[in-house]
Amino acid sequence: MTVSSAPGKVYLFGEHAVVYGEPAVPCAIERRATVRVEARDDDHVRVSATDLSLDGFTVEYAGSTDDRPDVDVPASLVEAAMGYIDAAVEQARDAADAPDAGFDITVESEIPLGAGLGSSAAVTVAGIDAATRELGHAIPIEEIADRAYRAESNVQEGQASRADTFCSAVGGAVRVEGDDCRRIDAPDLPIVVGFDGGAGDTGELVAGVRALKEQYGFANDTIGTIGDIVRTGERYLDPDPEGPAATLDETERIEEIGRLMDFNHGLLESLGVSSRSLDSMVWAAREAGAHGAKLTGAGGGGCIAALDPTPETLTALRFTPGCEEAFRAELAADGVRRLE
Ligand code: MEV
């Protein structure tokens, strides 16, 4: 038996625009998917996901990846989750040159499905790491990130960036621009997450933005402006010692990052990927005094991320209609963890 875990993430800036080559800065958080893998002596794959949940959002199934599990969430989400596990198995077989390898796989996750916290990337990263190690063929973190990207890209029909998978593999705050992926320094960010209990369909949301971009030049400009926000934001995350942000203290830098997150949310809203519940959580956070707030991930429903060192945003979100769960998210310094 081999066991790996990998973290979820929130986007500080840049989701959607990153699909078109603009930079993005996701940040790994201590909500993990854990994947246990045991090699079989035939070529079958048996998957059981005992808990893909965040309080009250649970998927239970067991069966081969061809079976349709019995669940309490939309079938499309479960199909997507199964697709990521299939794709991870394919990558592990390829990496270990073992095309007929079979596995018993158990997935446990603290990250809700399709809610913008990178559940699919975390399951894919942990799955590839555990399955390759189970076959006696451990691969370096960079290769796990690359193979997880290829797996995710296959499932999302080529409409994926490297951001989610790289962030989950290496941990911390990262900067992704096309194929250029690296960790960056960041201050200790007081991240608060609000979750509306729902989910968005990443493929559909990405396709919607693409359609707007093709139809309207100004939607294309919006994507470029999101890139400008990211380029500005990274100066406050990891200031150039010679640049103007270097004269600010950490609180002032975090305030500026929050302001830029507000801008970023407005632009995502204009691209049609927000929702009433995401907007109302963003406004609840702002009214509670958060430095800034935005949706995270593909949108359509799911989670927002706000910056607030005080308890006010957390309390306000807990009383916001449409917010099912709110929690403080610690930055995950580690990406994939090899547990057994
Ligand atoms: C989804 O978590 C983030 C998107 O930018 C898609 C991607 O980068 O693959 C919407």
Side-chain angles (χ1 to χ4, degrees):
M1 159 96 72
T2 309
V3 186
S4 299
S5 78
K9 56 105 231 297
V10 296
Y11 271 87
L12 292 178
F13 313 111
E15 57 273 86
H16 283 288
V18 69
V19 174
Y20 306 101
E22 297 293 345
V25 178
C27 199
I29 60 167
E30 270 310 336
R31 289 264 161 170
R32 288 185 167 262
T34 301
V35 180
R36 290 163 207 279
V37 177
E38 186 136 33
R40 294 170 62 106
D41 48 18
D42 57 24
D43 63 358
H44 293 190
V45 176
R46 184 175 187 283
V47 182
S48 81
T50 51
D51 184 16
L52 292 173
S53 74
L54 182 74
D55 285 2
F57 187 100
T58 303
V59 181
E60 286 190 12
Y61 62 83
S64 82
T65 51
D66 294 333
D67 291 343
R68 287 290 161 269
D70 180 19
V71 293
D72 64 354
V73 294
S76 60
L77 277 183
V78 177
E79 265 169 39
M82 300 287 271
Y84 291 109
I85 293 166
D86 270 350
V89 164
E90 280 317 308
Q91 287 296 328
R93 285 174 169 157
D94 181 64
D97 199 15
D100 298 324
F103 303 101
D104 285 328
I105 299 175
T106 307
V107 182
E108 282 168 54
S109 177
E110 303 162 335
I111 313 165
L113 287 173
L117 297 183
S119 57
S120 56
V123 167
T124 308
V125 163
I128 292 174
D129 186 61
T132 46
R133 290 193 301 117
E134 177 70 6
L135 295 174
H137 190 88
I139 56 177
I141 300 295
E142 295 70 29
E143 187 178 341
I144 292 168
D146 183 54
R147 286 188 175 275
Y149 161 67
R150 285 193 257 155
E152 195 165 76
S153 199
N154 281 347
V155 180
Q156 289 170 211
E157 294 169 358
Q159 306 209 85
S161 74
R162 292 181 179 272
D164 291 28
T165 39
F166 182 75
C167 183
S168 185
V170 308
V174 306
R175 180 191 196 276
V176 172
E177 182 170 6
D179 292 342
D180 175 23
C181 305
R182 55 192 158 85
R183 261 185 89 134
I184 58 172
D185 281 339
D188 192 10
L189 295 167
I191 300 171
V192 179
V193 174
F195 174 41
D196 69 5
D201 180 323
T202 301
E204 264 175 31
L205 290 151
V206 170
V209 172
R210 184 178 298 279
L212 277 183
K213 180 179 178 308
E214 280 164 10
Q215 192 175 352
Y216 302 107
F218 50 81
N220 201 25
D221 296 343
T222 301
I223 286 165
T225 307
I226 293 176
D228 292 338
I229 291 174
V230 184
R231 283 180 278 271
T232 307
E234 60 191 323
R235 287 189 221 134
Y236 293 93
L237 284 163
D238 189 8
D240 171 354
E242 307 294 313
T247 60
L248 303 180
D249 66 27
E250 190 162 298
T251 306
E252 291 168 323
R253 281 164 54 203
I254 292 172
E255 280 168 8
E256 193 57 35
I257 292 163
R259 216 166 285 141
L260 293 165
M261 287 169 70
D262 281 340
F263 260 110
N264 196 159
H265 181 78
L267 296 178
L268 288 166
E269 221 268 307
S270 74
L271 291 173
V273 298
S274 193
S275 70
R276 186 182 284 263
S277 56
L278 293 174
D279 286 344
S280 82
M281 291 191 289
V282 161
W283 276 104
R286 290 174 182 165
E287 284 167 5
H291 297 315
K294 62 181 278 295
L295 69 83
T296 171
C303 293
I304 65 137
L307 296 184
D308 187 355
T310 77
E312 300 300 324
T313 294
L314 200 56
T315 307
L317 284 172
R318 286 183 177 147
F319 286 99
T320 301
C323 176
E324 199 163 281
E325 175 89 25
F327 58 90
R328 198 166 271 293
E330 301 298 325
L331 183 80
D334 296 343
V336 68
R337 268 190 205 143
R338 296 179 166 168
L339 302 170
E340 271 176 47

